[in-house]
Amino acid sequence: MKRGKPYLQGALDSLCAVYGVVNAAKIINDLTEEDSRDLFNKILLYLEEKDILGNALINGINIGLVGSILRDVAIDKIPDRFMPFKNKHITYDSFWNEITQFLEIKNRAILMAINGYQWDHWSVVSHINNIQIFFFDSLKLRSFLRTRCTIVKPTKARPHLLCPHHTYFLSKEGNRDE
């Protein structure tokens, strides 16, 4: 009997955004496992109360719902959140540089949508340098080379689409530079 590899957590559900919020809160606040489970449960109960848990499990969570979760459920763990690229035209270099500058301060994280040929996923950017972007991710995504990413349209040479308009900068209250 051919079994193949086992499915990993999240392989059959579409809760990457929920894991992203929890993982970002863990970076920002050094959450314990108990605190992380509590936040995860609160998010699921929130989705259930809104009668959208089933849809979220199957189809994922859009940018508007991510914002609602951050505002209505995770506000005590992630009090400072903003979307610096919302409705703005930005170059790839500017995008990369702003992420780099934001993450230079401890207890910050970035929740970002990633698309392309292989991805339709929410992940947490934990750190970045001139060569790579690194993730704290529910699907064990580790990093992408800068030269393999784009913010416009994926190609074979640049298959990873980082989505500026679906990017949240997250931190503790008062840490953000205005």
Side-chain angles (χ1 to χ4, degrees), residues 105-124:
I105 296 176
K106 189 178 177 187
N107 300 110
R108 288 184 171 186
I110 294 174
L111 181 62
M112 177 189 300
I114 302 168
N115 295 117
Y117 298 115
Q118 296 176 309
W119 308 103
D120 183 10
H121 184 57
W122 285 96
S123 189
V124 176

Side-chain angles (χ1 to χ4, degrees), residues 26-165:
K26 184 173 181 167
I27 289 172
I28 293 166
N29 294 293
D30 292 326
L31 295 184
T32 64
E33 185 174 341
E34 182 180 341
D35 290 335
S36 297
R37 284 184 187 277
D38 182 56
L39 179 56
F40 182 83
N41 291 339
K42 285 179 180 176
I43 296 170
L44 293 182
L45 289 172
Y46 174 80
L47 296 173
E48 186 176 272
E49 287 169 7
K50 291 183 136 315
D51 199 27
I52 54 177
L53 179 58
N55 186 53
L57 279 165
I58 295 166
N59 298 311
I61 296 174
N62 65 30
I63 188 73
L65 189 51
V66 168
S68 295
I69 290 168
L70 289 169
R71 181 188 65 239
D72 298 339
V73 183
I75 188 72
D76 60 325
K77 304 291 186 219
I78 307 172
D80 192 10
R81 66 206 180 286
F82 67 108
M83 298 175 72
F85 312 113
K86 184 178 180 180
N87 301 322
K88 290 184 182 175
H89 176 74
I90 188 161
T91 66
Y92 183 61
D93 288 339
S94 295
F95 177 68
W96 198 274
N97 290 338
E98 285 194 46
I99 290 171
T100 302
Q101 288 176 352
F102 180 77
L103 291 176
E104 287 176 349
I105 296 176
K106 189 178 177 187
N107 300 110
R108 288 184 171 186
I110 294 174
L111 181 62
M112 177 189 300
I114 302 168
N115 295 117
Y117 298 115
Q118 296 176 309
W119 308 103
D120 183 10
H121 184 57
W122 285 96
S123 189
V124 176
V125 179
S126 59
H127 58 289
I128 190 171
N129 60 35
N130 288 333
I131 299 168
Q132 284 180 284
I133 186 168
F134 297 89
F135 302 98
F136 190 65
D137 187 75
S138 63
L139 291 178
K140 298 184 180 180
L141 177 63
R142 301 273 187 237
S143 66
F144 292 152
L145 290 172
R146 181 177 183 164
T147 57
R148 302 280 289 158
C149 298
T150 184
I151 62 169
V152 181
K153 183 179 177 184
T155 63
K156 285 188 180 185
R158 291 180 177 264
H160 309 302
L161 176 64
L162 308 178
C163 304
H165 299 119

